[in-house]
Amino acid sequence: MELIIIAYIYGYSNYIDDLYEMTGNSILYKLKKPMSVFYCGFSPLVIFIIFLFSWYNYEPLTKGSYTYPAWANGIGWIIAMLGILPVPFTAIYVFAKAYMANPIPDIQDRVKDVLRETTRHTVEWRQNAIRLNNKDGEKSNFEYRQEGDRMGQVQEGAGS
């Protein structure tokens, strides 16, 4: 789930820029395109396949000849999912809230508009980056600036 969020919602390029900003290691930019194959394609596919096979091959927990009851396995699954489920539940809540507030009558256009609005970068997403960028001063390799209602990031030496 986190890989999908980083690769597709936060943005793979933003993630690499942030890693470079934190580490100062320029090899990240040399490996950016080859790593994108893994971050955006291969890794999510492999994780999904592993997930499917895990469910397909699932067997209830046993210890010796004792097989734990279904309710005990259910509690185990709930405990295991407590760290994972808040992410999709929050995404569903944010999407549903934005969907209900959107006045567009056509369902397909409404869904597209809500997805566009809830997954784009906002000023709030970049506040920590701006704060640290200001703290770094001249040592920073990026300039963060407001571009309309969005926050932009420009690498020094690159065209605006």
Side-chain angles (χ1 to χ4, degrees):
M1 180 62 65
E2 290 85 0
L3 183 66
I4 300 294
I5 292 170
I6 288 173
Y8 294 104
I9 295 180
Y10 181 69
Y12 173 71
S13 289
N14 288 328
Y15 178 66
I16 295 297
D17 290 344
D18 290 344
L19 283 177
Y20 176 74
E21 185 76 11
M22 289 185 282
T23 64
N25 192 343
S26 62
I27 196 163
L28 289 168
Y29 284 115
K30 293 174 185 163
L31 297 174
K32 187 175 183 177
K33 288 191 192 274
M35 286 183 357
S36 71
V37 172
F38 291 98
Y39 269 91
C40 298
F42 187 67
S43 294
L45 178 67
V46 169
I47 290 169
F48 182 69
I49 290 170
I50 291 170
F51 185 66
L52 287 179
F53 277 105
S54 295
W55 273 6
Y56 179 76
N57 293 326
Y58 172 74
E59 294 178 9
L61 181 63
T62 60
K63 184 167 185 170
S65 62
Y66 180 73
T67 301
Y68 285 89
W71 64 266
N73 283 310
I75 289 174
W77 275 103
I78 289 170
I79 291 171
M81 294 293 139
L82 281 175
I84 299 169
L85 290 180
V87 174
F89 285 161
T90 302
I92 291 167
Y93 170 76
V94 168
F95 180 83
K97 186 176 171 184
Y99 184 83
M100 296 300 186
N102 193 314
I104 297 174
D106 182 48
I107 292 175
Q108 188 174 6
D109 290 339
R110 192 175 185 182
V111 169
K112 285 180 186 177
D113 188 55
V114 168
L115 283 174
R116 189 179 318 107
E117 289 299 315
T118 56
T119 60
R120 71 186 178 108
H121 299 190
T122 63
V123 175
E124 292 81 20
W125 284 32
R126 303 303 287 176
Q127 287 304 316
N128 285 332
I130 293 168
R131 182 178 49 79
L132 289 174
N133 183 267
N134 291 336
K135 183 179 169 185
D136 288 345
E138 295 296 320
K139 295 187 298 184
S140 178
N141 291 311
F142 295 96
E143 170 191 345
Y144 295 93
R145 64 174 184 255
Q146 187 75 27
E147 297 174 349
D149 64 341
R150 300 180 72 163
M151 186 59 59
Q153 175 185 31
V154 178
Q155 186 175 6
E156 285 185 6
S160 293

mmCIF file with all atom_site columns, all heavy atoms in Angstrom, residues 132-157:
data_model
loop_
_atom_site.group_PDB
_atom_site.id
_atom_site.type_symbol
_atom_site.label_atom_id
_atom_site.label_alt_id
_atom_site.label_comp_id
_atom_site.label_asym_id
_atom_site.label_entity_id
_atom_site.label_seq_id
_atom_site.pdbx_PDB_ins_code
_atom_site.Cartn_x
_atom_site.Cartn_y
_atom_site.Cartn_z
_atom_site.occupancy
_atom_site.B_iso_or_equiv
_atom_site.pdbx_formal_charge
_atom_site.auth_seq_id
_atom_site.auth_comp_id
_atom_site.auth_asym_id
_atom_site.auth_atom_id
_atom_site.pdbx_PDB_model_num
ATOM 1   N N   . LEU A 1 132 ? 12.468 22.911 6.017   1.00 0.00 ? 132 LEU A N   1
ATOM 2   C CA  . LEU A 1 132 ? 13.846 22.417 5.993   1.00 0.00 ? 132 LEU A CA  1
ATOM 3   C C   . LEU A 1 132 ? 14.668 23.101 4.912   1.00 0.00 ? 132 LEU A C   1
ATOM 4   O O   . LEU A 1 132 ? 15.856 23.360 5.102   1.00 0.00 ? 132 LEU A O   1
ATOM 5   C CB  . LEU A 1 132 ? 13.858 20.903 5.797   1.00 0.00 ? 132 LEU A CB  1
ATOM 6   C CG  . LEU A 1 132 ? 13.370 20.109 7.001   1.00 0.00 ? 132 LEU A CG  1
ATOM 7   C CD1 . LEU A 1 132 ? 13.274 18.637 6.661   1.00 0.00 ? 132 LEU A CD1 1
ATOM 8   C CD2 . LEU A 1 132 ? 14.282 20.314 8.189   1.00 0.00 ? 132 LEU A CD2 1
ATOM 9   N N   . ASN A 1 133 ? 14.037 23.407 3.788   1.00 0.00 ? 133 ASN A N   1
ATOM 10  C CA  . ASN A 1 133 ? 14.730 24.106 2.718   1.00 0.00 ? 133 ASN A CA  1
ATOM 11  C C   . ASN A 1 133 ? 15.180 25.482 3.196   1.00 0.00 ? 133 ASN A C   1
ATOM 12  O O   . ASN A 1 133 ? 16.315 25.896 2.933   1.00 0.00 ? 133 ASN A O   1
ATOM 13  C CB  . ASN A 1 133 ? 13.817 24.228 1.502   1.00 0.00 ? 133 ASN A CB  1
ATOM 14  C CG  . ASN A 1 133 ? 14.500 24.885 0.333   1.00 0.00 ? 133 ASN A CG  1
ATOM 15  O OD1 . ASN A 1 133 ? 14.398 26.096 0.165   1.00 0.00 ? 133 ASN A OD1 1
ATOM 16  N ND2 . ASN A 1 133 ? 15.185 24.092 -0.462  1.00 0.00 ? 133 ASN A ND2 1
ATOM 17  N N   . ASN A 1 134 ? 14.319 26.174 3.901   1.00 0.00 ? 134 ASN A N   1
ATOM 18  C CA  . ASN A 1 134 ? 14.686 27.488 4.444   1.00 0.00 ? 134 ASN A CA  1
ATOM 19  C C   . ASN A 1 134 ? 15.790 27.362 5.479   1.00 0.00 ? 134 ASN A C   1
ATOM 20  O O   . ASN A 1 134 ? 16.666 28.223 5.569   1.00 0.00 ? 134 ASN A O   1
ATOM 21  C CB  . ASN A 1 134 ? 13.462 28.181 5.054   1.00 0.00 ? 134 ASN A CB  1
ATOM 22  C CG  . ASN A 1 134 ? 12.464 28.577 3.993   1.00 0.00 ? 134 ASN A CG  1
ATOM 23  O OD1 . ASN A 1 134 ? 12.802 28.755 2.827   1.00 0.00 ? 134 ASN A OD1 1
ATOM 24  N ND2 . ASN A 1 134 ? 11.212 28.698 4.399   1.00 0.00 ? 134 ASN A ND2 1
ATOM 25  N N   . LYS A 1 135 ? 15.748 26.298 6.263   1.00 0.00 ? 135 LYS A N   1
ATOM 26  C CA  . LYS A 1 135 ? 16.775 26.055 7.277   1.00 0.00 ? 135 LYS A CA  1
ATOM 27  C C   . LYS A 1 135 ? 18.128 25.772 6.615   1.00 0.00 ? 135 LYS A C   1
ATOM 28  O O   . LYS A 1 135 ? 19.163 26.240 7.078   1.00 0.00 ? 135 LYS A O   1
ATOM 29  C CB  . LYS A 1 135 ? 16.352 24.877 8.157   1.00 0.00 ? 135 LYS A CB  1
ATOM 30  C CG  . LYS A 1 135 ? 17.288 24.565 9.279   1.00 0.00 ? 135 LYS A CG  1
ATOM 31  C CD  . LYS A 1 135 ? 16.738 23.394 10.078  1.00 0.00 ? 135 LYS A CD  1
ATOM 32  C CE  . LYS A 1 135 ? 17.753 22.876 11.051  1.00 0.00 ? 135 LYS A CE  1
ATOM 33  N NZ  . LYS A 1 135 ? 17.275 21.671 11.749  1.00 0.00 ? 135 LYS A NZ  1
ATOM 34  N N   . ASP A 1 136 ? 18.124 25.001 5.510   1.00 0.00 ? 136 ASP A N   1
ATOM 35  C CA  . ASP A 1 136 ? 19.365 24.668 4.809   1.00 0.00 ? 136 ASP A CA  1
ATOM 36  C C   . ASP A 1 136 ? 19.955 25.873 4.088   1.00 0.00 ? 136 ASP A C   1
ATOM 37  O O   . ASP A 1 136 ? 21.158 25.939 3.867   1.00 0.00 ? 136 ASP A O   1
ATOM 38  C CB  . ASP A 1 136 ? 19.136 23.544 3.799   1.00 0.00 ? 136 ASP A CB  1
ATOM 39  C CG  . ASP A 1 136 ? 18.916 22.207 4.476   1.00 0.00 ? 136 ASP A CG  1
ATOM 40  O OD1 . ASP A 1 136 ? 19.221 22.094 5.667   1.00 0.00 ? 136 ASP A OD1 1
ATOM 41  O OD2 . ASP A 1 136 ? 18.430 21.285 3.796   1.00 0.00 ? 136 ASP A OD2 1
ATOM 42  N N   . GLY A 1 137 ? 19.107 26.799 3.667   1.00 0.00 ? 137 GLY A N   1
ATOM 43  C CA  . GLY A 1 137 ? 19.583 28.011 2.996   1.00 0.00 ? 137 GLY A CA  1
ATOM 44  C C   . GLY A 1 137 ? 20.293 27.711 1.694   1.00 0.00 ? 137 GLY A C   1
ATOM 45  O O   . GLY A 1 137 ? 19.775 27.013 0.828   1.00 0.00 ? 137 GLY A O   1
ATOM 46  N N   . GLU A 1 138 ? 21.489 28.201 1.553   1.00 0.00 ? 138 GLU A N   1
ATOM 47  C CA  . GLU A 1 138 ? 22.256 28.055 0.307   1.00 0.00 ? 138 GLU A CA  1
ATOM 48  C C   . GLU A 1 138 ? 22.701 26.619 0.035   1.00 0.00 ? 138 GLU A C   1
ATOM 49  O O   . GLU A 1 138 ? 23.022 26.277 -1.092  1.00 0.00 ? 138 GLU A O   1
ATOM 50  C CB  . GLU A 1 138 ? 23.487 28.977 0.334   1.00 0.00 ? 138 GLU A CB  1
ATOM 51  C CG  . GLU A 1 138 ? 23.143 30.454 0.361   1.00 0.00 ? 138 GLU A CG  1
ATOM 52  C CD  . GLU A 1 138 ? 22.428 30.884 -0.912  1.00 0.00 ? 138 GLU A CD  1
ATOM 53  O OE1 . GLU A 1 138 ? 22.816 30.425 -2.002  1.00 0.00 ? 138 GLU A OE1 1
ATOM 54  O OE2 . GLU A 1 138 ? 21.465 31.654 -0.794  1.00 0.00 ? 138 GLU A OE2 1
ATOM 55  N N   . LYS A 1 139 ? 22.743 25.770 1.069   1.00 0.00 ? 139 LYS A N   1
ATOM 56  C CA  . LYS A 1 139 ? 23.170 24.378 0.883   1.00 0.00 ? 139 LYS A CA  1
ATOM 57  C C   . LYS A 1 139 ? 22.129 23.541 0.152   1.00 0.00 ? 139 LYS A C   1
ATOM 58  O O   . LYS A 1 139 ? 22.434 22.493 -0.373  1.00 0.00 ? 139 LYS A O   1
ATOM 59  C CB  . LYS A 1 139 ? 23.473 23.726 2.236   1.00 0.00 ? 139 LYS A CB  1
ATOM 60  C CG  . LYS A 1 139 ? 24.651 24.326 2.966   1.00 0.00 ? 139 LYS A CG  1
ATOM 61  C CD  . LYS A 1 139 ? 25.006 23.543 4.209   1.00 0.00 ? 139 LYS A CD  1
ATOM 62  C CE  . LYS A 1 139 ? 23.870 23.563 5.181   1.00 0.00 ? 139 LYS A CE  1
ATOM 63  N NZ  . LYS A 1 139 ? 24.163 22.903 6.447   1.00 0.00 ? 139 LYS A NZ  1
ATOM 64  N N   . SER A 1 140 ? 20.895 24.017 0.128   1.00 0.00 ? 140 SER A N   1
ATOM 65  C CA  . SER A 1 140 ? 19.816 23.253 -0.499  1.00 0.00 ? 140 SER A CA  1
ATOM 66  C C   . SER A 1 140 ? 19.942 23.271 -2.017  1.00 0.00 ? 140 SER A C   1
ATOM 67  O O   . SER A 1 140 ? 20.339 24.273 -2.604  1.00 0.00 ? 140 SER A O   1
ATOM 68  C CB  . SER A 1 140 ? 18.462 23.825 -0.091  1.00 0.00 ? 140 SER A CB  1
ATOM 69  O OG  . SER A 1 140 ? 17.442 23.106 -0.732  1.00 0.00 ? 140 SER A OG  1
ATOM 70  N N   . ASN A 1 141 ? 19.607 22.158 -2.653  1.00 0.00 ? 141 ASN A N   1
ATOM 71  C CA  . ASN A 1 141 ? 19.660 22.065 -4.112  1.00 0.00 ? 141 ASN A CA  1
ATOM 72  C C   . ASN A 1 141 ? 18.312 22.335 -4.761  1.00 0.00 ? 141 ASN A C   1
ATOM 73  O O   . ASN A 1 141 ? 18.185 22.240 -5.969  1.00 0.00 ? 141 ASN A O   1
ATOM 74  C CB  . ASN A 1 141 ? 20.141 20.674 -4.528  1.00 0.00 ? 141 ASN A CB  1
ATOM 75  C CG  . ASN A 1 141 ? 21.586 20.471 -4.179  1.00 0.00 ? 141 ASN A CG  1
ATOM 76  O OD1 . ASN A 1 141 ? 22.425 21.312 -4.471  1.00 0.00 ? 141 ASN A OD1 1
ATOM 77  N ND2 . ASN A 1 141 ? 21.885 19.364 -3.531  1.00 0.00 ? 141 ASN A ND2 1
ATOM 78  N N   . PHE A 1 142 ? 17.284 22.637 -3.967  1.00 0.00 ? 142 PHE A N   1
ATOM 79  C CA  . PHE A 1 142 ? 15.947 22.861 -4.503  1.00 0.00 ? 142 PHE A CA  1
ATOM 80  C C   . PHE A 1 142 ? 15.404 24.195 -4.029  1.00 0.00 ? 142 PHE A C   1
ATOM 81  O O   . PHE A 1 142 ? 15.767 24.691 -2.974  1.00 0.00 ? 142 PHE A O   1
ATOM 82  C CB  . PHE A 1 142 ? 14.992 21.747 -4.056  1.00 0.00 ? 142 PHE A CB  1
ATOM 83  C CG  . PHE A 1 142 ? 15.349 20.412 -4.612  1.00 0.00 ? 142 PHE A CG  1
ATOM 84  C CD1 . PHE A 1 142 ? 16.098 19.523 -3.868  1.00 0.00 ? 142 PHE A CD1 1
ATOM 85  C CD2 . PHE A 1 142 ? 14.962 20.053 -5.888  1.00 0.00 ? 142 PHE A CD2 1
ATOM 86  C CE1 . PHE A 1 142 ? 16.451 18.290 -4.384  1.00 0.00 ? 142 PHE A CE1 1
ATOM 87  C CE2 . PHE A 1 142 ? 15.305 18.821 -6.409  1.00 0.00 ? 142 PHE A CE2 1
ATOM 88  C CZ  . PHE A 1 142 ? 16.049 17.939 -5.659  1.00 0.00 ? 142 PHE A CZ  1
ATOM 89  N N   . GLU A 1 143 ? 14.519 24.723 -4.831  1.00 0.00 ? 143 GLU A N   1
ATOM 90  C CA  . GLU A 1 143 ? 13.796 25.934 -4.459  1.00 0.00 ? 143 GLU A CA  1
ATOM 91  C C   . GLU A 1 143 ? 12.314 25.580 -4.482  1.00 0.00 ? 143 GLU A C   1
ATOM 92  O O   . GLU A 1 143 ? 11.808 25.090 -5.487  1.00 0.00 ? 143 GLU A O   1
ATOM 93  C CB  . GLU A 1 143 ? 14.080 27.040 -5.485  1.00 0.00 ? 143 GLU A CB  1
ATOM 94  C CG  . GLU A 1 143 ? 13.213 28.252 -5.333  1.00 0.00 ? 143 GLU A CG  1
ATOM 95  C CD  . GLU A 1 143 ? 13.341 29.201 -6.511  1.00 0.00 ? 143 GLU A CD  1
ATOM 96  O OE1 . GLU A 1 143 ? 14.283 29.078 -7.287  1.00 0.00 ? 143 GLU A OE1 1
ATOM 97  O OE2 . GLU A 1 143 ? 12.451 30.045 -6.651  1.00 0.00 ? 143 GLU A OE2 1
ATOM 98  N N   . TYR A 1 144 ? 11.637 25.812 -3.386  1.00 0.00 ? 144 TYR A N   1
ATOM 99  C CA  . TYR A 1 144 ? 10.204 25.546 -3.320  1.00 0.00 ? 144 TYR A CA  1
ATOM 100 C C   . TYR A 1 144 ? 9.477  26.875 -3.465  1.00 0.00 ? 144 TYR A C   1
ATOM 101 O O   . TYR A 1 144 ? 9.826  27.849 -2.834  1.00 0.00 ? 144 TYR A O   1
ATOM 102 C CB  . TYR A 1 144 ? 9.826  24.898 -1.982  1.00 0.00 ? 144 TYR A CB  1
ATOM 103 C CG  . TYR A 1 144 ? 10.443 23.535 -1.818  1.00 0.00 ? 144 TYR A CG  1
ATOM 104 C CD1 . TYR A 1 144 ? 11.653 23.360 -1.183  1.00 0.00 ? 144 TYR A CD1 1
ATOM 105 C CD2 . TYR A 1 144 ? 9.807  22.423 -2.344  1.00 0.00 ? 144 TYR A CD2 1
ATOM 106 C CE1 . TYR A 1 144 ? 12.223 22.115 -1.047  1.00 0.00 ? 144 TYR A CE1 1
ATOM 107 C CE2 . TYR A 1 144 ? 10.363 21.168 -2.215  1.00 0.00 ? 144 TYR A CE2 1
ATOM 108 C CZ  . TYR A 1 144 ? 11.569 21.018 -1.567  1.00 0.00 ? 144 TYR A CZ  1
ATOM 109 O OH  . TYR A 1 144 ? 12.120 19.791 -1.437  1.00 0.00 ? 144 TYR A OH  1
ATOM 110 N N   . ARG A 1 145 ? 8.468  26.890 -4.304  1.00 0.00 ? 145 ARG A N   1
ATOM 111 C CA  . ARG A 1 145 ? 7.735  28.130 -4.505  1.00 0.00 ? 145 ARG A CA  1
ATOM 112 C C   . ARG A 1 145 ? 6.272  27.830 -4.793  1.00 0.00 ? 145 ARG A C   1
ATOM 113 O O   . ARG A 1 145 ? 5.935  26.755 -5.262  1.00 0.00 ? 145 ARG A O   1
ATOM 114 C CB  . ARG A 1 145 ? 8.355  28.949 -5.632  1.00 0.00 ? 145 ARG A CB  1
ATOM 115 C CG  . ARG A 1 145 ? 8.281  28.275 -6.973  1.00 0.00 ? 145 ARG A CG  1
ATOM 116 C CD  . ARG A 1 145 ? 8.786  29.208 -8.068  1.00 0.00 ? 145 ARG A CD  1
ATOM 117 N NE  . ARG A 1 145 ? 8.618  28.591 -9.345  1.00 0.00 ? 145 ARG A NE  1
ATOM 118 C CZ  . ARG A 1 145 ? 9.593  28.070 -10.072 1.00 0.00 ? 145 ARG A CZ  1
ATOM 119 N NH1 . ARG A 1 145 ? 10.823 28.130 -9.630  1.00 0.00 ? 145 ARG A NH1 1
ATOM 120 N NH2 . ARG A 1 145 ? 9.344  27.529 -11.222 1.00 0.00 ? 145 ARG A NH2 1
ATOM 121 N N   . GLN A 1 146 ? 5.449  28.809 -4.526  1.00 0.00 ? 146 GLN A N   1
ATOM 122 C CA  . GLN A 1 146 ? 4.014  28.696 -4.777  1.00 0.00 ? 146 GLN A CA  1
ATOM 123 C C   . GLN A 1 146 ? 3.762  28.943 -6.257  1.00 0.00 ? 146 GLN A C   1
ATOM 124 O O   . GLN A 1 146 ? 4.233  29.929 -6.815  1.00 0.00 ? 146 GLN A O   1
ATOM 125 C CB  . GLN A 1 146 ? 3.266  29.726 -3.932  1.00 0.00 ? 146 GLN A CB  1
ATOM 126 C CG  . GLN A 1 146 ? 1.776  29.590 -3.973  1.00 0.00 ? 146 GLN A CG  1
ATOM 127 C CD  . GLN A 1 146 ? 1.286  28.419 -3.156  1.00 0.00 ? 146 GLN A CD  1
ATOM 128 O OE1 . GLN A 1 146 ? 1.934  28.024 -2.212  1.00 0.00 ? 146 GLN A OE1 1
ATOM 129 N NE2 . GLN A 1 146 ? 0.158  27.874 -3.522  1.00 0.00 ? 146 GLN A NE2 1
ATOM 130 N N   . GLU A 1 147 ? 3.047  28.021 -6.920  1.00 0.00 ? 147 GLU A N   1
ATOM 131 C CA  . GLU A 1 147 ? 2.677  28.168 -8.324  1.00 0.00 ? 147 GLU A CA  1
ATOM 132 C C   . GLU A 1 147 ? 1.163  28.081 -8.407  1.00 0.00 ? 147 GLU A C   1
ATOM 133 O O   . GLU A 1 147 ? 0.608  27.002 -8.507  1.00 0.00 ? 147 GLU A O   1
ATOM 134 C CB  . GLU A 1 147 ? 3.327  27.071 -9.171  1.00 0.00 ? 147 GLU A CB  1
ATOM 135 C CG  . GLU A 1 147 ? 4.836  27.125 -9.181  1.00 0.00 ? 147 GLU A CG  1
ATOM 136 C CD  . GLU A 1 147 ? 5.463  25.944 -9.905  1.00 0.00 ? 147 GLU A CD  1
ATOM 137 O OE1 . GLU A 1 147 ? 4.747  24.967 -10.221 1.00 0.00 ? 147 GLU A OE1 1
ATOM 138 O OE2 . GLU A 1 147 ? 6.671  25.987 -10.124 1.00 0.00 ? 147 GLU A OE2 1
ATOM 139 N N   . GLY A 1 148 ? 0.506  29.229 -8.357  1.00 0.00 ? 148 GLY A N   1
ATOM 140 C CA  . GLY A 1 148 ? -0.954 29.234 -8.321  1.00 0.00 ? 148 GLY A CA  1
ATOM 141 C C   . GLY A 1 148 ? -1.418 28.657 -7.010  1.00 0.00 ? 148 GLY A C   1
ATOM 142 O O   . GLY A 1 148 ? -1.023 29.127 -5.954  1.00 0.00 ? 148 GLY A O   1
ATOM 143 N N   . ASP A 1 149 ? -2.235 27.612 -7.065  1.00 0.00 ? 149 ASP A N   1
ATOM 144 C CA  . ASP A 1 149 ? -2.694 26.970 -5.825  1.00 0.00 ? 149 ASP A CA  1
ATOM 145 C C   . ASP A 1 149 ? -1.903 25.714 -5.523  1.00 0.00 ? 149 ASP A C   1
ATOM 146 O O   . ASP A 1 149 ? -2.268 24.929 -4.678  1.00 0.00 ? 149 ASP A O   1
ATOM 147 C CB  . ASP A 1 149 ? -4.192 26.655 -5.904  1.00 0.00 ? 149 ASP A CB  1
ATOM 148 C CG  . ASP A 1 149 ? -4.514 25.635 -6.989  1.00 0.00 ? 149 ASP A CG  1
ATOM 149 O OD1 . ASP A 1 149 ? -3.678 25.441 -7.893  1.00 0.00 ? 149 ASP A OD1 1
ATOM 150 O OD2 . ASP A 1 149 ? -5.605 25.045 -6.934  1.00 0.00 ? 149 ASP A OD2 1
ATOM 151 N N   . ARG A 1 150 ? -0.778 25.520 -6.226  1.00 0.00 ? 150 ARG A N   1
ATOM 152 C CA  . ARG A 1 150 ? 0.040  24.325 -6.017  1.00 0.00 ? 150 ARG A CA  1
ATOM 153 C C   . ARG A 1 150 ? 1.437  24.709 -5.595  1.00 0.00 ? 150 ARG A C   1
ATOM 154 O O   . ARG A 1 150 ? 1.911  25.787 -5.887  1.00 0.00 ? 150 ARG A O   1
ATOM 155 C CB  . ARG A 1 150 ? 0.097  23.503 -7.301  1.00 0.00 ? 150 ARG A CB  1
ATOM 156 C CG  . ARG A 1 150 ? -1.297 23.052 -7.734  1.00 0.00 ? 150 ARG A CG  1
ATOM 157 C CD  . ARG A 1 150 ? -1.208 22.266 -8.958  1.00 0.00 ? 150 ARG A CD  1
ATOM 158 N NE  . ARG A 1 150 ? -0.627 20.983 -8.592  1.00 0.00 ? 150 ARG A NE  1
ATOM 159 C CZ  . ARG A 1 150 ? -0.692 19.921 -9.341  1.00 0.00 ? 150 ARG A CZ  1
ATOM 160 N NH1 . ARG A 1 150 ? -1.296 19.964 -10.489 1.00 0.00 ? 150 ARG A NH1 1
ATOM 161 N NH2 . ARG A 1 150 ? -0.155 18.792 -8.969  1.00 0.00 ? 150 ARG A NH2 1
ATOM 162 N N   . MET A 1 151 ? 2.118  23.772 -4.940  1.00 0.00 ? 151 MET A N   1
ATOM 163 C CA  . MET A 1 151 ? 3.478  24.004 -4.506  1.00 0.00 ? 151 MET A CA  1
ATOM 164 C C   . MET A 1 151 ? 4.417  23.360 -5.517  1.00 0.00 ? 151 MET A C   1
ATOM 165 O O   . MET A 1 151 ? 4.278  22.198 -5.842  1.00 0.00 ? 151 MET A O   1
ATOM 166 C CB  . MET A 1 151 ? 3.690  23.374 -3.125  1.00 0.00 ? 151 MET A CB  1
ATOM 167 C CG  . MET A 1 151 ? 5.040  23.675 -2.519  1.00 0.00 ? 151 MET A CG  1
ATOM 168 S SD  . MET A 1 151 ? 5.396  25.413 -2.304  1.00 0.00 ? 151 MET A SD  1
ATOM 169 C CE  . MET A 1 151 ? 4.083  25.920 -1.242  1.00 0.00 ? 151 MET A CE  1
ATOM 170 N N   . GLY A 1 152 ? 5.341  24.125 -6.034  1.00 0.00 ? 152 GLY A N   1
ATOM 171 C CA  . GLY A 1 152 ? 6.279  23.603 -7.024  1.00 0.00 ? 152 GLY A CA  1
ATOM 172 C C   . GLY A 1 152 ? 7.652  23.413 -6.433  1.00 0.00 ? 152 GLY A C   1
ATOM 173 O O   . GLY A 1 152 ? 8.033  24.046 -5.446  1.00 0.00 ? 152 GLY A O   1
ATOM 174 N N   . GLN A 1 153 ? 8.442  22.555 -7.066  1.00 0.00 ? 153 GLN A N   1
ATOM 175 C CA  . GLN A 1 153 ? 9.795  22.288 -6.629  1.00 0.00 ? 153 GLN A CA  1
ATOM 176 C C   . GLN A 1 153 ? 10.678 22.346 -7.866  1.00 0.00 ? 153 GLN A C   1
ATOM 177 O O   . GLN A 1 153 ? 10.410 21.692 -8.863  1.00 0.00 ? 153 GLN A O   1
ATOM 178 C CB  . GLN A 1 153 ? 9.860  20.910 -5.985  1.00 0.00 ? 153 GLN A CB  1
ATOM 179 C CG  . GLN A 1 153 ? 11.251 20.481 -5.589  1.00 0.00 ? 153 GLN A CG  1
ATOM 180 C CD  . GLN A 1 153 ? 11.249 19.065 -5.066  1.00 0.00 ? 153 GLN A CD  1
ATOM 181 O OE1 . GLN A 1 153 ? 10.455 18.245 -5.469  1.00 0.00 ? 153 GLN A OE1 1
ATOM 182 N NE2 . GLN A 1 153 ? 12.153 18.767 -4.175  1.00 0.00 ? 153 GLN A NE2 1
ATOM 183 N N   . VAL A 1 154 ? 11.724 23.140 -7.810  1.00 0.00 ? 154 VAL A N   1
ATOM 184 C CA  . VAL A 1 154 ? 12.612 23.298 -8.948  1.00 0.00 ? 154 VAL A CA  1
ATOM 185 C C   . VAL A 1 154 ? 14.022 23.000 -8.487  1.00 0.00 ? 154 VAL A C   1
ATOM 186 O O   . VAL A 1 154 ? 14.488 23.543 -7.486  1.00 0.00 ? 154 VAL A O   1
ATOM 187 C CB  . VAL A 1 154 ? 12.527 24.733 -9.531  1.00 0.00 ? 154 VAL A CB  1
ATOM 188 C CG1 . VAL A 1 154 ? 13.494 24.899 -10.681 1.00 0.00 ? 154 VAL A CG1 1
ATOM 189 C CG2 . VAL A 1 154 ? 11.116 25.055 -9.948  1.00 0.00 ? 154 VAL A CG2 1
ATOM 190 N N   . GLN A 1 155 ? 14.706 22.148 -9.232  1.00 0.00 ? 155 GLN A N   1
ATOM 191 C CA  . GLN A 1 155 ? 16.094 21.862 -8.910  1.00 0.00 ? 155 GLN A CA  1
ATOM 192 C C   . GLN A 1 155 ? 16.938 22.989 -9.462  1.00 0.00 ? 155 GLN A C   1
ATOM 193 O O   . GLN A 1 155 ? 16.713 23.455 -10.564 1.00 0.00 ? 155 GLN A O   1
ATOM 194 C CB  . GLN A 1 155 ? 16.529 20.526 -9.496  1.00 0.00 ? 155 GLN A CB  1
ATOM 195 C CG  . GLN A 1 155 ? 17.935 20.124 -9.069  1.00 0.00 ? 155 GLN A CG  1
ATOM 196 C CD  . GLN A 1 155 ? 18.300 18.738 -9.572  1.00 0.00 ? 155 GLN A CD  1
ATOM 197 O OE1 . GLN A 1 155 ? 17.567 18.128 -10.306 1.00 0.00 ? 155 GLN A OE1 1
ATOM 198 N NE2 . GLN A 1 155 ? 19.430 18.270 -9.138  1.00 0.00 ? 155 GLN A NE2 1
ATOM 199 N N   . GLU A 1 156 ? 17.903 23.444 -8.662  1.00 0.00 ? 156 GLU A N   1
ATOM 200 C CA  . GLU A 1 156 ? 18.756 24.529 -9.123  1.00 0.00 ? 156 GLU A CA  1
ATOM 201 C C   . GLU A 1 156 ? 19.470 24.137 -10.382 1.00 0.00 ? 156 GLU A C   1
ATOM 202 O O   . GLU A 1 156 ? 19.895 22.991 -10.554 1.00 0.00 ? 156 GLU A O   1
ATOM 203 C CB  . GLU A 1 156 ? 19.778 24.881 -8.018  1.00 0.00 ? 156 GLU A CB  1
ATOM 204 C CG  . GLU A 1 156 ? 19.162 25.648 -6.884  1.00 0.00 ? 156 GLU A CG  1
ATOM 205 C CD  . GLU A 1 156 ? 20.203 26.086 -5.877  1.00 0.00 ? 156 GLU A CD  1
ATOM 206 O OE1 . GLU A 1 156 ? 21.406 25.899 -6.099  1.00 0.00 ? 156 GLU A OE1 1
ATOM 207 O OE2 . GLU A 1 156 ? 19.793 26.642 -4.850  1.00 0.00 ? 156 GLU A OE2 1
ATOM 208 N N   . GLY A 1 157 ? 19.594 25.086 -11.281 1.00 0.00 ? 157 GLY A N   1
ATOM 209 C CA  . GLY A 1 157 ? 20.252 24.827 -12.561 1.00 0.00 ? 157 GLY A CA  1
ATOM 210 C C   . GLY A 1 157 ? 19.310 24.344 -13.622 1.00 0.00 ? 157 GLY A C   1
ATOM 211 O O   . GLY A 1 157 ? 19.634 24.320 -14.789 1.00 0.00 ? 157 GLY A O   1
#
